[in-house]
Structure formats: structure tokens, C-alpha cells
Amino acid sequence: MKKPARLDVDAILDDPGTRIIVCCGAGGVGKTTTAAALGLRAAERGRCAVVLTVDPARRLAQSMGLTELDNTPRLVSSPEGDGQLYAMMLDMKRTFDEIIEAHADPERARQILSNPFYQSLSSSFSGTQEYMAMEKLGQLRRSDEWDLIIVDTPPSRSALDFLDAPERLGRFLDGRFIKLLTAPAKAGGRSAFRLLNAGFGLMAGAMTKLLGAQVIKDLQTFVSALDAVFGGFRQRAEMTYRLLQAPGTAFVVVAAPERDAMREASYFVERLAEERMPLAGLVVNRVHESPAPALSAARSAAAAEDLESRGEHEFTAAVLRLHAGRMQLAARESREQEHFVSAHPTVPVVQVRAMSEDVHDLSGLRQIGTLLATA
């Protein structure tokens, strides 16, 4: 089988036209580590980079020697290179609050922020995290403080949900229930409530009976207060979506050499193609290799069996068994990667060998970055 093109990581990082790198893939494949390693290598090659993680795990902060990350980019001290590296972790609710405060007058902002429905929506509404990731990415890009933004997305297929955020928000805002609730405010005053009751008396009565008058009032207040702000939400999300399609963006799909993860990688590649998003290539993490590839699994197992049958060299036999198992694992991983390459022969690929221990500091991230660039 023809080998795929190698993903040239340094060419992407060194290109001043590359402004956004989005790392996506299934859960547990090393996206956070890959994003952090790319950020560190970019900084040490002269870029001013910020890594945004929307994964609630704290691994990014720990690996960068920080006690914690929050919604504000934090400078990561690095002794090498001329660039700078910042890191942050998306605070979904805080980002939502900042948008309200920036795009509503103080009184309206106070009404929204104190409303119980807003507090619930900003913390747990389906899709809010992905939408806020879009908002934060747009904010970082518009600020122009960093010449490279690296996004570490949530695990599994939700990693691409932020592509659907504008449409999902639009469906929510255009839904019948929301229009029903905004009708009084749009029609104006008490007459509007009479109009609402005349047109939707049965439904309004049932809702009030089911939820209570105060709940309905809180919900109507919340929706009418947000009505003027939502249009800006939609517009900015669509601008960020177009930004993701622009030539300055590079999507990096991250996978492990396992069946499920490689299938997810295929899904991501196909979805990105559908959305016309610029794919840079595939990173395959934790690939197992052997220091003695010339010794096959079959020969190693046979030699171990021979030694064991004679009761000799137990330690050597154990090493041979271990080598046979490693070669079998490497063969399985190779087959899984071949399936991906067969389906996507034009996608550049880079392999990162499995490390002997977890990455937990800048030195480990630097090693991963070197492997990404020179594998």
C-alpha cells in the first residue's frame, strides 16, 4: 500500500498565515497533550500562541506547570525560544456573562444575569458549551493579541458540535415556544398579554397551571430581555464559522491506533470535508514500535516456547514472549491505520510513538512536539 504524505507540523506552525489550529478527535486519544505540545513548539519557534481548552479536565494546566486555568489567558513561562505561550480553559458561564455585559445596557444586563432561567441556560443548556467555544474563539481572534490560537475541543463527536452551534441557536430562537413567549414584549404592554391569551389561551393556561405563574413570568422576562442580544450572538457565531473555513485555519484530527478511534477519525475527516473546513492532517498518537522489528512475533514466540520446553533461560523466554506480544500489537495498530489510509489516501499523517510515561510537564510536551515534527 502506498504510504500517505507526512504531516509537516513545523511548516504549519512556521507559516504566519496559520492563525487557528483546531485539534479534534475521539475522547482519550491525546488531543489536549497534542494541542499543548503544538502551542509550546510554536512559541519556541517564535510565535505568540494561546491554547484554549474546552475539555473540563485539568491536564493542560498541570502539563504547563500552572496550578489552574480559567477564562483568562495565562502566560506560561518557557525558558526556550523567542515567542510566548498562553493557556486558558473555557468557562462556559463566565463567557456567557461577559457577552451579556458587553452587548446589553446595565439595567437589561442586570435583569438577564439575575434571571433563574438565564442561570440555568448559561450553565447546562444543551449546546451552550460549544456555542461559547465559538464565542471565545471569535473573541480571541478579534483581539489580535495572539498570532496563533490552538483549540483543544471536547471529546468524542461533540468535538464538532461547535460547527452546528449557529444553526442550533437559530432553531432555539425561532422555535414556536420562544415566539410564544416573546409575543407580549414585541406587541407591547397589557394589550399584548390579552392578544397572547386570545390566540393561545389554552396553551398559556396549561403552561401556567403546569409551571406556575411566577415561572412563566420569569421565563417571559428572560426571553424578552435576551431578544435584543440574541441577534448579535447569531451574527458572531456565523462570522466565527466562516473564520473556521478560511485559509488561515488548520484542523488537526487526533486519533489513537485503535479501531474505534480510527473510525472516529474517519468521521471527522468526512464531516470536515462536508463543511469545507481546511484539514491539515491526522496525528496518530501512542503508536507502539519494537527495538527489534526484524524478529517477527512468530519467531519470537517459537523461540520462547523452545526455551520453556527445555526449562532453560526463563528470563530470555519471558523477554521473547513480551517482544512477540509487542509485535502483534504493532501489527494490529498498523492494520487499523491502513484502513484509514485506504479510505482517505490524500490525508497527510504523522505518527507519535507511545511514551513510557504520561506527559505532565513542559519537558514532556517539548518531547511530544519534537516527535510530531520529526516522526
Side-chain angles (χ1 to χ4, degrees), residues 23-27 31 53-56 129-130 133 151-162 268:
C23 296
C24 55
K31 287 192 309 298
T53 181
V54 292
D55 184 343
Q129 183 185 51
E130 290 77 19
V151 182
D152 165 39
T153 57
S156 194
R157 294 195 176 188
S158 62
L160 287 179
D161 280 354
F162 65 88
F268 286 125

Side-chain angles (χ1 to χ4, degrees), residues 307-331:
L307 290 173
E308 290 166 349
S309 67
R310 289 186 283 147
E312 299 175 357
H313 304 288
E314 293 182 3
F315 177 76
T316 303
V319 171
L320 288 167
R321 291 283 186 196
L322 184 64
H323 174 74
R326 192 177 186 90
M327 291 296 288
Q328 290 167 348
L329 174 60

Side-chain angles (χ1 to χ4, degrees), residues 1-225:
M1 176 181 293
K2 183 181 177 182
K3 277 190 158 186
R6 189 179 74 83
L7 176 61
D8 191 341
V9 168
D10 280 350
I12 297 170
L13 298 179
D14 293 345
D15 182 358
T18 303
R19 302 299 302 272
I20 297 172
I21 297 175
V22 182
C23 296
C24 55
V29 297
K31 287 192 309 298
T32 301
T33 302
T34 299
L38 289 172
L40 179 61
R41 189 167 181 85
E44 294 185 343
R45 296 175 72 85
R47 303 294 297 269
C48 183
V50 57
V51 179
L52 165 64
T53 181
V54 292
D55 184 343
R58 304 283 173 177
R59 294 187 305 276
L60 183 63
Q62 294 166 354
S63 65
M64 292 184 168
L66 301 172
T67 55
E68 62 180 0
L69 292 177
D70 56 23
N71 217 38
T72 303
R74 305 287 178 186
L75 180 64
V76 178
S77 58
S78 175
E80 301 181 14
D82 299 326
Q84 289 183 309
L85 177 62
Y86 291 77
M88 62 179 296
M89 185 168 68
L90 179 73
D91 183 328
M92 181 174 67
K93 187 178 188 311
R94 183 62 212 142
T95 300
F96 213 150
D97 291 351
E98 289 171 355
I99 296 165
I100 299 299
E101 292 164 353
H103 296 91
D105 61 75
E107 177 57 26
R108 180 168 297 207
R110 185 194 65 76
Q111 291 178 4
I112 296 173
L113 295 176
S114 62
N115 188 281
F117 281 95
Y118 168 77
Q119 293 169 4
S120 176
L121 173 74
S122 60
S123 302
S124 57
F125 184 73
S126 174
T128 302
Q129 183 185 51
E130 290 77 19
Y131 181 78
M132 289 304 122
M134 292 277 280
E135 279 281 354
K136 184 55 69 176
L137 173 58
Q139 288 175 13
L140 293 173
R141 185 64 184 86
R142 287 190 297 272
S143 73
D144 213 27
E145 293 181 44
W146 300 273
D147 59 30
L148 179 61
I149 303 165
I150 301 175
V151 182
D152 165 39
T153 57
S156 194
R157 294 195 176 188
S158 62
L160 287 179
D161 280 354
F162 65 88
L163 299 179
D164 298 322
E167 183 181 351
R168 186 185 300 112
L169 181 66
R171 287 199 305 267
F172 171 70
L173 295 175
D174 294 333
R176 186 178 303 173
F177 181 60
I178 296 300
K179 287 183 175 179
L180 172 68
L181 292 168
T182 54
K186 289 180 177 178
R190 294 177 180 272
S191 61
F193 280 100
R194 286 197 295 271
L195 179 65
L196 175 70
N197 288 331
F200 302 97
L202 184 60
M203 182 177 177
M207 286 166 51
T208 303
K209 186 174 182 180
L210 178 65
L211 301 176
Q214 185 59 47
V215 172
I216 294 299
K217 183 179 179 182
D218 286 342
L219 186 53
Q220 288 172 330
T221 301
F222 159 66
V223 173
S224 61

Side-chain angles (χ1 to χ4, degrees), residues 317-374:
V319 171
L320 288 167
R321 291 283 186 196
L322 184 64
H323 174 74
R326 192 177 186 90
M327 291 296 288
Q328 290 167 348
L329 174 60
R332 285 198 303 272
E333 292 179 348
S334 179
R335 286 193 297 272
E336 295 303 333
Q337 293 176 75
E338 286 174 3
H339 293 324
F340 177 90
V341 172
S342 295
H344 310 284
T346 62
V347 176
V349 178
V350 64
Q351 296 178 333
V352 178
R353 73 169 187 267
M355 305 286 286
S356 58
E357 59 183 20
D358 289 339
V359 175
H360 52 76
D361 55 21
L362 288 177
S363 177
L365 289 177
R366 191 172 292 114
Q367 186 176 0
I368 293 292
T370 301
L371 291 172
L372 282 165
T374 61

